[in-house]
Amino acid sequence: MLIKPFCWLDLDASELNLLLTPFDLKRLESYANNMVDYHVIIDLLPMLASLYFQKRLGEGVRLSAVQSSILLALGLQRKNIEDVESELQIAVSQGLALLVKIVRKISKCLIDIQKAVIAGELSVDPSDVKSQVLPKPLKPSEVSLEEELNTAGDE
Protein backbone atom coordinates (compact mmCIF):
# COMPACT_ATOMS: atom_id res chain seq x y z
CA MET A 1 0.00 0.00 0.00
CA LEU A 2 1.41 3.37 -1.06
CA ILE A 3 1.09 6.25 1.31
CA LYS A 4 0.66 9.58 -0.36
CA PRO A 5 2.65 12.39 1.24
CA PHE A 6 0.60 15.20 2.67
CA CYS A 7 0.49 17.95 0.09
CA TRP A 8 -0.37 21.52 0.91
CA LEU A 9 -2.41 23.56 -1.51
CA ASP A 10 -0.75 26.40 -3.34
CA LEU A 11 -0.95 29.74 -1.63
CA ASP A 12 -3.88 31.88 -2.77
CA ALA A 13 -4.41 35.62 -2.49
CA SER A 14 -6.83 35.53 0.43
CA GLU A 15 -4.39 33.50 2.51
CA LEU A 16 -1.51 35.70 1.37
CA ASN A 17 -3.40 38.73 2.66
CA LEU A 18 -3.77 37.01 6.04
CA LEU A 19 -0.09 36.09 6.27
CA LEU A 20 1.57 39.23 4.91
CA THR A 21 0.41 42.83 4.87
CA PRO A 22 0.87 45.07 1.84
CA PHE A 23 3.62 46.82 3.82
CA ASP A 24 5.40 43.46 4.30
CA LEU A 25 5.26 42.80 0.57
CA LYS A 26 6.62 46.28 -0.10
CA ARG A 27 9.51 45.64 2.31
CA LEU A 28 10.30 42.40 0.48
CA GLU A 29 10.16 44.17 -2.86
CA SER A 30 12.42 46.95 -1.59
CA TYR A 31 14.95 44.41 -0.32
CA ALA A 32 14.80 42.51 -3.61
CA ASN A 33 15.65 45.77 -5.39
CA ASN A 34 18.61 46.40 -3.03
CA MET A 35 16.97 49.47 -1.51
CA VAL A 36 17.03 48.37 2.15
CA ASP A 37 19.23 46.28 4.44
CA TYR A 38 18.42 42.68 5.31
CA HIS A 39 17.59 43.67 8.90
CA VAL A 40 14.38 45.23 7.53
CA ILE A 41 13.03 41.86 6.35
CA ILE A 42 14.57 39.47 8.88
CA ASP A 43 11.21 39.14 10.68
CA LEU A 44 9.55 37.93 7.46
CA LEU A 45 12.04 35.14 6.77
CA PRO A 46 10.36 32.52 9.02
CA MET A 47 7.09 32.95 7.11
CA LEU A 48 8.81 32.84 3.72
CA ALA A 49 10.84 29.79 4.71
CA SER A 50 7.82 27.88 5.94
CA LEU A 51 5.89 28.71 2.75
CA TYR A 52 8.82 27.57 0.63
CA PHE A 53 9.55 24.34 2.48
CA GLN A 54 5.85 23.43 2.59
CA LYS A 55 5.89 23.90 -1.22
CA ARG A 56 3.10 26.46 -0.99
CA LEU A 57 4.73 28.83 -3.48
CA GLY A 58 4.10 26.57 -6.47
CA GLU A 59 6.48 25.18 -9.02
CA GLY A 60 7.79 28.60 -10.07
CA VAL A 61 10.11 29.05 -7.08
CA ARG A 62 13.20 26.89 -7.33
CA LEU A 63 16.20 27.44 -5.08
CA SER A 64 19.63 25.91 -5.25
CA ALA A 65 20.91 23.76 -2.39
CA VAL A 66 22.96 26.64 -0.97
CA GLN A 67 20.02 29.05 -1.26
CA SER A 68 17.74 26.51 0.45
CA SER A 69 20.22 26.04 3.28
CA ILE A 70 20.52 29.81 3.76
CA LEU A 71 16.73 30.16 3.86
CA LEU A 72 16.51 27.24 6.29
CA ALA A 73 19.19 28.64 8.59
CA LEU A 74 17.97 32.24 8.63
CA GLY A 75 14.25 31.54 8.47
CA LEU A 76 13.49 28.35 10.35
CA GLN A 77 16.55 27.94 12.57
CA ARG A 78 16.73 31.70 13.16
CA LYS A 79 20.50 31.86 12.93
CA ASN A 80 22.31 35.06 12.12
CA ILE A 81 24.26 35.60 8.92
CA GLU A 82 27.61 35.11 10.66
CA ASP A 83 26.58 31.60 11.76
CA VAL A 84 25.56 30.82 8.19
CA GLU A 85 28.93 32.13 7.02
CA SER A 86 30.84 29.75 9.27
CA GLU A 87 28.64 26.72 8.62
CA LEU A 88 28.54 27.04 4.84
CA GLN A 89 32.07 28.44 4.58
CA ILE A 90 31.02 31.38 2.43
CA ALA A 91 31.66 35.08 2.86
CA VAL A 92 28.97 37.21 4.51
CA SER A 93 28.68 39.29 1.34
CA GLN A 94 28.11 36.14 -0.72
CA GLY A 95 25.50 34.91 1.73
CA LEU A 96 23.69 38.24 1.60
CA ALA A 97 23.84 38.25 -2.21
CA LEU A 98 22.24 34.81 -2.26
CA LEU A 99 19.62 36.00 0.22
CA VAL A 100 18.72 38.85 -2.15
CA LYS A 101 18.23 36.32 -4.94
CA ILE A 102 16.05 34.16 -2.69
CA VAL A 103 13.87 37.09 -1.66
CA ARG A 104 13.65 38.30 -5.27
CA LYS A 105 12.31 34.91 -6.43
CA ILE A 106 9.82 34.59 -3.59
CA SER A 107 8.73 38.22 -3.79
CA LYS A 108 8.08 37.86 -7.52
CA CYS A 109 5.95 34.78 -6.85
CA LEU A 110 3.91 36.58 -4.17
CA ILE A 111 3.35 39.60 -6.40
CA ASP A 112 2.30 37.32 -9.27
CA ILE A 113 -0.32 35.76 -6.99
CA GLN A 114 -1.74 39.21 -6.29
CA LYS A 115 -1.62 40.21 -9.95
CA ALA A 116 -3.52 37.08 -10.98
CA VAL A 117 -6.36 37.92 -8.62
CA ILE A 118 -6.52 41.52 -9.80
CA ALA A 119 -6.52 40.44 -13.44
CA GLY A 120 -9.30 37.96 -12.68
CA GLU A 121 -11.38 40.64 -10.98
CA LEU A 122 -10.94 43.03 -13.89
CA SER A 123 -11.56 40.34 -16.54
CA VAL A 124 -11.03 42.89 -19.29
CA ASP A 125 -10.29 41.83 -22.84
CA PRO A 126 -6.86 43.20 -23.89
CA SER A 127 -8.33 44.62 -27.12
CA ASP A 128 -10.82 46.65 -25.06
CA VAL A 129 -8.00 48.12 -23.01
CA LYS A 130 -6.34 49.59 -26.10
CA SER A 131 -9.50 51.31 -27.23
CA GLN A 132 -10.04 52.79 -23.77
CA VAL A 133 -6.48 53.98 -23.32
CA LEU A 134 -5.81 55.54 -26.72
CA PRO A 135 -6.94 59.17 -26.97
CA LYS A 136 -9.17 60.36 -29.77
CA PRO A 137 -7.26 61.78 -32.74
CA LEU A 138 -6.71 65.53 -32.59
CA LYS A 139 -8.33 67.83 -35.13
CA PRO A 140 -6.66 70.99 -36.37
CA SER A 141 -8.01 74.26 -35.00
CA GLU A 142 -10.19 76.34 -37.30
CA VAL A 143 -8.64 79.59 -36.02
CA SER A 144 -4.99 80.33 -36.73
CA LEU A 145 -2.52 80.92 -33.93
CA GLU A 146 -2.10 84.60 -34.82
CA GLU A 147 -5.86 85.19 -34.71
CA GLU A 148 -6.08 83.54 -31.28
CA LEU A 149 -3.19 85.67 -29.97
CA ASN A 150 -4.73 88.86 -31.31
CA THR A 151 -8.10 88.02 -29.76
CA ALA A 152 -6.47 87.23 -26.43
CA GLY A 153 -4.41 90.45 -26.59
CA ASP A 154 -7.53 92.54 -27.22
CA GLU A 155 -9.20 91.13 -24.12
Coordinates of all heavy atoms in Angstrom, one line a residue, residues 66-155:
V66 N 22.4 25.6 -1.9 CA 23.0 26.6 -1.0 C 21.9 27.7 -0.6 O 21.8 28.1 0.6 CB 24.2 27.3 -1.6 CG1 24.7 28.4 -0.8 CG2 25.3 26.3 -1.9
Q67 N 21.1 28.1 -1.6 CA 20.0 29.0 -1.3 C 19.0 28.4 -0.3 O 18.6 29.1 0.7 CB 19.3 29.5 -2.5 CG 20.1 30.4 -3.4 CD 19.5 30.7 -4.7 OE1 18.7 29.8 -5.3 NE2 19.7 31.9 -5.3
S68 N 18.7 27.2 -0.5 CA 17.7 26.5 0.4 C 18.3 26.4 1.9 O 17.6 26.6 2.8 CB 17.4 25.1 0.0 OG 16.7 25.2 -1.3
S69 N 19.6 26.1 1.9 CA 20.2 26.0 3.3 C 20.3 27.4 4.0 O 20.1 27.5 5.2 CB 21.6 25.4 3.2 OG 22.5 26.2 2.4
I70 N 20.5 28.5 3.2 CA 20.5 29.8 3.8 C 19.1 30.2 4.3 O 19.0 30.7 5.4 CB 21.0 30.8 2.7 CG1 22.5 30.7 2.5 CG2 20.7 32.3 3.2 CD1 23.1 31.5 1.4
L71 N 18.1 29.9 3.5 CA 16.7 30.2 3.9 C 16.3 29.3 5.1 O 15.7 29.8 6.0 CB 15.8 29.9 2.7 CG 14.3 30.3 2.9 CD1 14.2 31.8 3.2 CD2 13.5 29.9 1.7
L72 N 16.8 28.1 5.1 CA 16.5 27.2 6.3 C 17.2 27.8 7.5 O 16.5 27.9 8.6 CB 17.0 25.8 6.0 CG 16.9 24.8 7.2 CD1 15.4 24.5 7.4 CD2 17.7 23.6 6.9
A73 N 18.4 28.2 7.4 CA 19.2 28.6 8.6 C 18.7 30.0 9.1 O 18.5 30.2 10.3 CB 20.7 28.8 8.2
L74 N 18.4 30.9 8.2 CA 18.0 32.2 8.6 C 16.5 32.2 9.0 O 16.1 32.9 9.9 CB 18.2 33.3 7.5 CG 19.7 33.6 7.2 CD1 19.7 34.5 6.0 CD2 20.4 34.2 8.4
G75 N 15.7 31.5 8.3 CA 14.2 31.5 8.5 C 13.7 30.6 9.5 O 13.0 31.0 10.5
L76 N 14.1 29.3 9.4 CA 13.5 28.4 10.4 C 14.4 28.1 11.6 O 13.8 27.9 12.7 CB 13.2 27.0 9.6 CG 12.2 27.2 8.5 CD1 12.0 25.8 7.8 CD2 10.9 27.7 9.0
Q77 N 15.7 28.1 11.4 CA 16.5 27.9 12.6 C 16.9 29.3 13.3 O 17.5 29.2 14.3 CB 17.8 27.2 12.1 CG 17.6 25.8 11.6 CD 18.8 25.2 11.1 OE1 19.8 25.8 10.8 NE2 18.8 23.9 10.9
R78 N 16.5 30.3 12.6 CA 16.7 31.7 13.2 C 18.2 32.0 13.6 O 18.4 32.6 14.6 CB 15.8 31.9 14.3 CG 14.3 32.0 13.8 CD 13.4 32.4 14.9 NE 12.0 32.6 14.5 CZ 11.2 31.7 14.1 NH1 11.6 30.4 13.9 NH2 9.9 32.0 13.8
K79 N 19.1 31.6 12.7 CA 20.5 31.9 12.9 C 20.8 33.2 12.3 O 20.1 33.7 11.5 CB 21.4 30.8 12.3 CG 21.2 29.4 12.9 CD 22.1 28.4 12.3 CE 21.9 27.1 13.0 NZ 22.8 26.0 12.4
N80 N 21.9 33.8 12.7 CA 22.3 35.1 12.1 C 23.2 34.8 10.9 O 23.7 33.6 10.8 CB 22.9 36.0 13.1 CG 24.2 35.5 13.8 OD1 24.9 34.7 13.2 ND2 24.5 35.9 15.0
I81 N 23.5 35.8 10.2 CA 24.3 35.6 8.9 C 25.7 35.2 9.2 O 26.3 34.4 8.4 CB 24.2 36.9 8.1 CG1 24.7 36.6 6.6 CG2 25.0 38.0 8.7 CD1 23.8 35.8 5.8
E82 N 26.3 35.5 10.3 CA 27.6 35.1 10.7 C 27.7 33.6 10.9 O 28.7 32.9 10.6 CB 28.1 35.9 11.9 CG 28.4 37.3 11.6 CD 27.2 38.2 11.6 OE1 26.1 37.8 12.1 OE2 27.3 39.3 11.0
D83 N 26.6 33.0 11.6 CA 26.6 31.6 11.8 C 26.5 30.9 10.4 O 27.1 29.8 10.2 CB 25.4 31.2 12.6 CG 25.5 31.7 14.1 OD1 26.7 32.0 14.5 OD2 24.5 31.9 14.7
V84 N 25.7 31.4 9.5 CA 25.6 30.8 8.2 C 26.9 30.9 7.5 O 27.3 29.9 6.8 CB 24.5 31.5 7.4 CG1 24.4 31.0 6.0 CG2 23.1 31.4 8.1
E85 N 27.6 32.0 7.6 CA 28.9 32.1 7.0 C 29.9 31.0 7.5 O 30.5 30.4 6.6 CB 29.5 33.5 7.4 CG 31.0 33.7 7.0 CD 31.6 34.8 7.7 OE1 31.1 35.3 8.7 OE2 32.7 35.2 7.2
S86 N 29.9 30.8 8.8 CA 30.8 29.8 9.3 C 30.4 28.3 8.9 O 31.2 27.5 8.6 CB 31.0 29.9 10.8 OG 29.8 29.7 11.4
E87 N 29.1 28.1 8.9 CA 28.6 26.7 8.6 C 28.8 26.4 7.1 O 29.2 25.3 6.8 CB 27.2 26.6 9.0 CG 27.0 26.5 10.5 CD 25.5 26.4 10.9 OE1 24.7 26.2 10.0 OE2 25.2 26.4 12.1
L88 N 28.5 27.3 6.3 CA 28.5 27.0 4.8 C 29.9 27.4 4.2 O 30.1 27.2 3.0 CB 27.4 27.8 4.1 CG 26.0 27.4 4.5 CD1 25.0 28.3 3.7 CD2 25.8 25.9 4.2
Q89 N 30.7 28.0 5.0 CA 32.1 28.4 4.6 C 32.0 29.4 3.4 O 32.7 29.1 2.3 CB 33.0 27.2 4.3 CG 33.2 26.4 5.5 CD 33.9 25.1 5.2 OE1 34.2 24.8 4.1 NE2 34.3 24.4 6.3
I90 N 31.1 30.4 3.5 CA 31.0 31.4 2.4 C 31.2 32.7 3.1 O 31.0 32.9 4.3 CB 29.7 31.3 1.7 CG1 28.5 31.5 2.7 CG2 29.5 30.0 0.9 CD1 27.1 31.6 2.0
A91 N 31.5 33.7 2.3 CA 31.7 35.1 2.9 C 30.3 35.7 3.2 O 29.3 35.3 2.6 CB 32.4 36.0 1.9
V92 N 30.2 36.6 4.1 CA 29.0 37.2 4.5 C 28.4 37.9 3.3 O 27.2 37.8 3.1 CB 29.2 38.2 5.7 CG1 27.9 39.0 5.9 CG2 29.6 37.5 6.9
S93 N 29.2 38.6 2.5 CA 28.7 39.3 1.3 C 28.1 38.3 0.3 O 27.1 38.6 -0.3 CB 29.8 40.1 0.7 OG 30.8 39.3 0.3
Q94 N 28.7 37.1 0.2 CA 28.1 36.1 -0.7 C 26.8 35.6 -0.2 O 25.8 35.4 -0.9 CB 29.1 35.0 -0.9 CG 28.7 34.0 -2.0 CD 29.7 32.9 -2.2 OE1 30.8 32.9 -1.5 NE2 29.5 32.0 -3.1
G95 N 26.7 35.4 1.1 CA 25.5 34.9 1.7 C 24.4 35.9 1.6 O 23.2 35.6 1.3
L96 N 24.7 37.2 1.8 CA 23.7 38.2 1.6 C 23.3 38.4 0.1 O 22.1 38.6 -0.1 CB 24.2 39.6 2.1 CG 24.4 39.6 3.7 CD1 25.0 40.9 4.1 CD2 23.0 39.5 4.3
A97 N 24.2 38.2 -0.8 CA 23.8 38.3 -2.2 C 22.9 37.1 -2.6 O 21.9 37.3 -3.3 CB 25.1 38.2 -3.1
L98 N 23.1 35.9 -2.0 CA 22.2 34.8 -2.3 C 20.9 35.0 -1.6 O 19.9 34.6 -2.2 CB 22.9 33.5 -1.7 CG 24.0 33.0 -2.6 CD1 24.8 31.9 -1.8 CD2 23.6 32.5 -3.9
L99 N 20.9 35.7 -0.4 CA 19.6 36.0 0.2 C 18.8 37.0 -0.6 O 17.6 36.8 -0.7 CB 19.9 36.6 1.6 CG 18.6 36.9 2.4 CD1 17.8 35.7 2.7 CD2 19.0 37.6 3.7
V100 N 19.4 37.9 -1.3 CA 18.7 38.9 -2.1 C 18.1 38.1 -3.3 O 16.9 38.3 -3.6 CB 19.7 40.0 -2.7 CG1 19.0 40.7 -3.8 CG2 20.1 40.9 -1.6
K101 N 18.8 37.1 -3.9 CA 18.2 36.3 -4.9 C 17.0 35.5 -4.5 O 16.0 35.4 -5.2 CB 19.3 35.4 -5.5 CG 20.3 36.1 -6.3 CD 21.4 35.2 -6.9 CE 22.4 35.9 -7.7 NZ 23.4 35.0 -8.3
I102 N 17.1 34.9 -3.3 CA 16.0 34.2 -2.7 C 14.8 35.0 -2.5 O 13.7 34.7 -3.0 CB 16.5 33.6 -1.3 CG1 17.6 32.6 -1.4 CG2 15.3 33.0 -0.6 CD1 18.2 32.2 -0.1
V103 N 15.0 36.2 -1.9 CA 13.9 37.1 -1.7 C 13.3 37.6 -3.0 O 12.1 37.7 -3.1 CB 14.3 38.2 -0.7 CG1 13.2 39.3 -0.6 CG2 14.6 37.7 0.6
R104 N 14.1 37.8 -4.0 CA 13.6 38.3 -5.3 C 12.7 37.3 -5.9 O 11.7 37.6 -6.4 CB 14.8 38.6 -6.2 CG 14.4 39.3 -7.5 CD 15.7 39.7 -8.3 NE 16.4 40.7 -7.6 CZ 17.8 40.7 -7.5 NH1 18.5 39.8 -8.0 NH2 18.4 41.7 -6.8
K105 N 13.1 36.0 -5.9 CA 12.3 34.9 -6.4 C 11.0 34.8 -5.7 O 9.9 34.7 -6.3 CB 13.1 33.6 -6.4 CG 14.2 33.5 -7.4 CD 14.9 32.1 -7.2 CE 16.1 32.1 -8.1 NZ 16.8 30.8 -8.0
I106 N 11.0 34.8 -4.4 CA 9.8 34.6 -3.6 C 8.9 35.8 -3.7 O 7.7 35.7 -3.8 CB 10.2 34.3 -2.1 CG1 10.9 32.9 -2.0 CG2 8.9 34.3 -1.2 CD1 11.4 32.5 -0.7
S107 N 9.5 37.0 -3.7 CA 8.7 38.2 -3.8 C 8.0 38.3 -5.1 O 6.8 38.7 -5.2 CB 9.6 39.4 -3.6 OG 9.0 40.6 -3.9
K108 N 8.7 37.9 -6.2 CA 8.1 37.9 -7.5 C 6.9 36.9 -7.5 O 5.8 37.2 -8.1 CB 9.1 37.5 -8.6 CG 8.5 37.5 -10.0 CD 9.5 36.9 -11.0 CE 9.0 36.9 -12.4 NZ 7.7 36.3 -12.5
C109 N 7.0 35.8 -6.9 CA 6.0 34.8 -6.8 C 4.8 35.4 -6.1 O 3.6 35.2 -6.5 CB 6.4 33.5 -6.2 SG 5.2 32.3 -5.9
L110 N 5.0 36.0 -5.0 CA 3.9 36.6 -4.2 C 3.2 37.7 -4.9 O 2.0 37.8 -4.9 CB 4.4 37.1 -2.8 CG 5.1 36.0 -1.9 CD1 5.7 36.7 -0.7 CD2 4.1 34.9 -1.6
I111 N 4.0 38.5 -5.6 CA 3.4 39.6 -6.4 C 2.6 39.0 -7.6 O 1.5 39.5 -7.9 CB 4.4 40.6 -6.9 CG1 5.0 41.3 -5.7 CG2 3.9 41.6 -7.9 CD1 6.2 42.2 -5.9
D112 N 3.0 38.0 -8.2 CA 2.3 37.3 -9.3 C 1.0 36.8 -8.8 O 0.0 36.8 -9.5 CB 3.1 36.2 -9.9 CG 4.3 36.8 -10.8 OD1 4.3 38.0 -11.1 OD2 5.2 36.0 -11.1
I113 N 0.9 36.3 -7.6 CA -0.3 35.8 -7.0 C -1.3 36.9 -6.9 O -2.5 36.8 -7.2 CB -0.1 35.1 -5.6 CG1 0.7 33.8 -5.8 CG2 -1.4 34.9 -4.9 CD1 1.2 33.2 -4.5
Q114 N -0.9 38.0 -6.4 CA -1.7 39.2 -6.3 C -2.2 39.7 -7.7 O -3.4 40.1 -7.8 CB -1.1 40.3 -5.5 CG -1.0 40.1 -4.1 CD -0.4 41.3 -3.3 OE1 0.4 42.1 -3.9 NE2 -0.9 41.5 -2.1
K115 N -1.3 39.7 -8.6 CA -1.6 40.2 -10.0 C -2.7 39.3 -10.6 O -3.5 39.8 -11.3 CB -0.4 40.3 -10.8 CG 0.5 41.5 -10.6 CD 1.7 41.5 -11.5 CE 2.6 42.6 -11.2 NZ 3.8 42.6 -12.1
A116 N -2.6 38.0 -10.4 CA -3.5 37.1 -11.0 C -4.9 37.3 -10.5 O -5.9 37.3 -11.2 CB -3.1 35.6 -10.7
V117 N -5.0 37.6 -9.2 CA -6.4 37.9 -8.6 C -6.9 39.2 -9.2 O -8.1 39.3 -9.5 CB -6.3 38.0 -7.1 CG1 -7.6 38.5 -6.5 CG2 -6.0 36.6 -6.5
I118 N -6.1 40.2 -9.3 CA -6.5 41.5 -9.8 C -6.9 41.4 -11.3 O -8.0 41.9 -11.7 CB -5.4 42.6 -9.6 CG1 -5.2 42.9 -8.1 CG2 -5.8 43.9 -10.4 CD1 -4.0 43.7 -7.8
A119 N -6.2 40.6 -12.0 CA -6.5 40.4 -13.4 C -7.8 39.7 -13.6 O -8.6 40.0 -14.5 CB -5.4 39.7 -14.2
G120 N -8.0 38.7 -12.7 CA -9.3 38.0 -12.7 C -10.5 38.8 -12.3 O -11.6 38.7 -12.9
E121 N -10.3 39.7 -11.4 CA -11.4 40.6 -11.0 C -11.7 41.6 -12.1 O -12.9 42.0 -12.3 CB -11.0 41.4 -9.7 CG -11.0 40.6 -8.5 CD -10.5 41.3 -7.3 OE1 -10.1 42.5 -7.4 OE2 -10.5 40.8 -6.2
L122 N -10.7 42.1 -12.8 CA -10.9 43.0 -13.9 C -11.6 42.3 -15.1 O -12.5 42.9 -15.7 CB -9.6 43.7 -14.3 CG -9.0 44.6 -13.3 CD1 -7.7 45.2 -13.9 CD2 -9.9 45.8 -13.0
S123 N -11.1 41.1 -15.4 CA -11.6 40.3 -16.5 C -11.9 41.2 -17.8 O -12.9 41.2 -18.3 CB -12.8 39.5 -16.2 OG -13.9 40.3 -15.9
V124 N -10.9 42.0 -18.2 CA -11.0 42.9 -19.3 C -10.3 42.3 -20.5 O -9.2 41.8 -20.3 CB -10.4 44.3 -19.0 CG1 -10.5 45.2 -20.1 CG2 -11.2 44.9 -17.8
D125 N -10.9 42.3 -21.6 CA -10.3 41.8 -22.8 C -9.2 42.8 -23.2 O -9.4 44.0 -23.2 CB -11.3 41.7 -24.0 CG -10.8 41.1 -25.2 OD1 -9.8 40.3 -25.1 OD2 -11.3 41.4 -26.3
P126 N -8.0 42.3 -23.5 CA -6.9 43.2 -23.9 C -7.2 44.1 -25.0 O -6.7 45.3 -25.1 CB -5.7 42.2 -24.2 CG -6.0 41.0 -23.5 CD -7.5 40.9 -23.5
S127 N -8.0 43.7 -26.0 CA -8.3 44.6 -27.1 C -9.2 45.8 -26.6 O -9.1 46.9 -27.2 CB -9.0 43.8 -28.2 OG -10.2 43.3 -27.7
D128 N -10.0 45.6 -25.6 CA -10.8 46.6 -25.1 C -9.9 47.7 -24.3 O -10.2 48.9 -24.4 CB -11.9 46.1 -24.1 CG -12.9 45.3 -24.8 OD1 -13.1 45.4 -26.0 OD2 -13.6 44.5 -24.1
V129 N -8.9 47.2 -23.7 CA -8.0 48.1 -23.0 C -7.4 49.1 -24.0 O -7.3 50.3 -23.7 CB -6.9 47.3 -22.2 CG1 -5.9 48.3 -21.6 CG2 -7.6 46.5 -21.2
K130 N -7.0 48.7 -25.1 CA -6.3 49.6 -26.1 C -7.3 50.7 -26.5 O -6.9 51.8 -26.6 CB -5.9 48.8 -27.3 CG -4.5 48.3 -27.2 CD -4.1 47.8 -28.6 CE -2.6 47.4 -28.5 NZ -2.1 46.9 -29.8
S131 N -8.5 50.3 -26.8 CA -9.5 51.3 -27.2 C -9.8 52.3 -26.1 O -10.1 53.5 -26.4 CB -10.8 50.7 -27.7 OG -11.4 50.0 -26.7
Q132 N -9.8 51.9 -24.9 CA -10.0 52.8 -23.8 C -8.9 53.7 -23.5 O -9.0 54.8 -23.0 CB -10.4 52.0 -22.5 CG -11.7 51.2 -22.6 CD -11.9 50.4 -21.4 OE1 -11.1 50.3 -20.6 NE2 -13.1 49.7 -21.4
V133 N -7.7 53.2 -23.7 CA -6.5 54.0 -23.3 C -6.1 55.0 -24.4 O -5.6 56.1 -24.1 CB -5.3 53.0 -23.0 CG1 -4.0 53.8 -22.8 CG2 -5.6 52.1 -21.8
L134 N -6.2 54.6 -25.7 CA -5.8 55.5 -26.7 C -6.7 56.8 -26.8 O -7.9 56.6 -26.8 CB -5.8 54.8 -28.1 CG -4.8 53.7 -28.2 CD1 -5.0 53.0 -29.5 CD2 -3.4 54.2 -28.1
P135 N -6.1 58.0 -26.9 CA -6.9 59.2 -27.0 C -7.5 59.3 -28.4 O -7.1 58.7 -29.3 CB -5.9 60.3 -26.7 CG -4.6 59.7 -27.1 CD -4.7 58.3 -26.8
K136 N -8.6 60.1 -28.5 CA -9.2 60.4 -29.8 C -8.2 61.2 -30.6 O -7.4 62.0 -30.1 CB -10.5 61.1 -29.6 CG -11.5 60.3 -28.9 CD -12.8 61.1 -28.7 CE -13.8 60.3 -27.9 NZ -15.0 61.0 -27.7
P137 N -8.2 61.0 -31.9 CA -7.3 61.8 -32.7 C -7.6 63.3 -32.7 O -8.8 63.7 -32.6 CB -7.5 61.2 -34.2 CG -8.7 60.3 -34.1 CD -9.0 60.1 -32.7
L138 N -6.5 64.1 -32.7 CA -6.7 65.5 -32.6 C -7.1 66.1 -33.9 O -6.6 65.6 -35.0 CB -5.4 66.2 -32.1 CG -4.9 65.7 -30.7 CD1 -3.6 66.4 -30.4 CD2 -5.9 66.1 -29.7
K139 N -7.9 67.1 -33.9 CA -8.3 67.8 -35.1 C -7.7 69.2 -35.1 O -7.5 69.8 -34.1 CB -9.8 68.0 -35.2 CG -10.6 66.7 -35.2 CD -12.1 66.9 -35.2 CE -12.8 65.6 -35.2 NZ -14.3 65.8 -35.1
P140 N -7.3 69.7 -36.3 CA -6.7 71.0 -36.4 C -7.7 72.1 -36.0 O -8.9 72.0 -36.3 CB -6.2 71.1 -37.8 CG -6.9 70.1 -38.6 CD -7.3 69.0 -37.6
S141 N -7.2 73.1 -35.4 CA -8.0 74.3 -35.0 C -8.4 75.0 -36.2 O -7.7 75.2 -37.2 CB -7.2 75.2 -34.0 OG -8.0 76.3 -33.7
E142 N -9.7 75.6 -36.2 CA -10.2 76.3 -37.3 C -9.6 77.8 -37.3 O -9.6 78.4 -38.3 CB -11.7 76.4 -37.3 CG -12.3 75.0 -37.4 CD -13.8 75.0 -37.3 OE1 -14.4 76.1 -37.2 OE2 -14.4 73.9 -37.3
V143 N -9.2 78.2 -36.1 CA -8.6 79.6 -36.0 C -7.1 79.5 -36.0 O -6.6 78.6 -35.3 CB -9.2 80.2 -34.7 CG1 -8.7 81.7 -34.6 CG2 -10.7 80.2 -34.7
S144 N -6.5 80.4 -36.7 CA -5.0 80.3 -36.7 C -4.4 80.8 -35.4 O -5.1 81.5 -34.6 CB -4.5 81.2 -37.9 OG -4.7 82.6 -37.6
L145 N -3.2 80.5 -35.2 CA -2.5 80.9 -33.9 C -2.5 82.4 -33.8 O -2.7 83.0 -32.7 CB -1.1 80.3 -33.9 CG -0.3 80.6 -32.7 CD1 -1.0 80.1 -31.4 CD2 1.1 80.1 -32.8
E146 N -2.2 83.1 -34.9 CA -2.1 84.6 -34.8 C -3.5 85.2 -34.5 O -3.5 86.2 -33.7 CB -1.6 85.2 -36.2 CG -0.1 84.9 -36.4 CD 0.3 85.5 -37.7 OE1 -0.2 86.6 -38.1 OE2 1.2 85.0 -38.3
E147 N -4.5 84.7 -35.0 CA -5.9 85.2 -34.7 C -6.2 85.0 -33.2 O -6.8 85.9 -32.6 CB -6.9 84.5 -35.6 CG -6.8 84.9 -37.0 CD -7.8 84.2 -37.9 OE1 -8.7 83.4 -37.4 OE2 -7.8 84.3 -39.1
E148 N -5.8 83.8 -32.7 CA -6.1 83.5 -31.3 C -5.3 84.5 -30.4 O -5.8 85.0 -29.4 CB -5.7 82.1 -30.9 CG -6.7 81.1 -31.2 CD -6.4 79.7 -30.7 OE1 -6.0 79.6 -29.5 OE2 -6.5 78.8 -31.4
L149 N -4.0 84.8 -30.8 CA -3.2 85.7 -30.0 C -3.7 87.1 -30.0 O -3.7 87.8 -29.0 CB -1.7 85.6 -30.4 CG -1.0 84.3 -30.1 CD1 0.4 84.3 -30.8 CD2 -0.8 84.1 -28.6
N150 N -4.2 87.5 -31.2 CA -4.7 88.9 -31.3 C -6.0 89.0 -30.5 O -6.2 90.0 -29.8 CB -5.0 89.2 -32.8 CG -3.7 89.4 -33.6 OD1 -2.7 89.8 -33.0 ND2 -3.8 89.2 -34.9
T151 N -6.8 88.0 -30.5 CA -8.1 88.0 -29.8 C -7.8 88.1 -28.3 O -8.4 88.8 -27.5 CB -9.0 86.8 -30.1 OG1 -9.2 86.7 -31.5 CG2 -10.3 86.8 -29.4
A152 N -6.8 87.3 -27.8 CA -6.5 87.2 -26.4 C -5.8 88.5 -26.0 O -6.0 89.0 -24.9 CB -5.5 86.1 -26.2
G153 N -5.1 89.2 -26.9 CA -4.4 90.4 -26.6 C -5.4 91.6 -26.5 O -5.3 92.5 -25.7
D154 N -6.5 91.5 -27.3 CA -7.5 92.5 -27.2 C -8.3 92.5 -25.9 O -8.8 93.5 -25.4 CB -8.5 92.4 -28.4 CG -7.8 92.8 -29.7 OD1 -6.8 93.5 -29.7 OD2 -8.3 92.3 -30.8
E155 N -8.4 91.3 -25.3 CA -9.2 91.1 -24.1 C -8.4 91.6 -23.0 O -8.5 92.3 -22.1 CB -9.5 89.7 -23.9 CG -10.5 89.1 -24.9 CD -10.7 87.6 -24.7 OE1 -10.2 87.0 -23.8 OE2 -11.5 87.1 -25.5

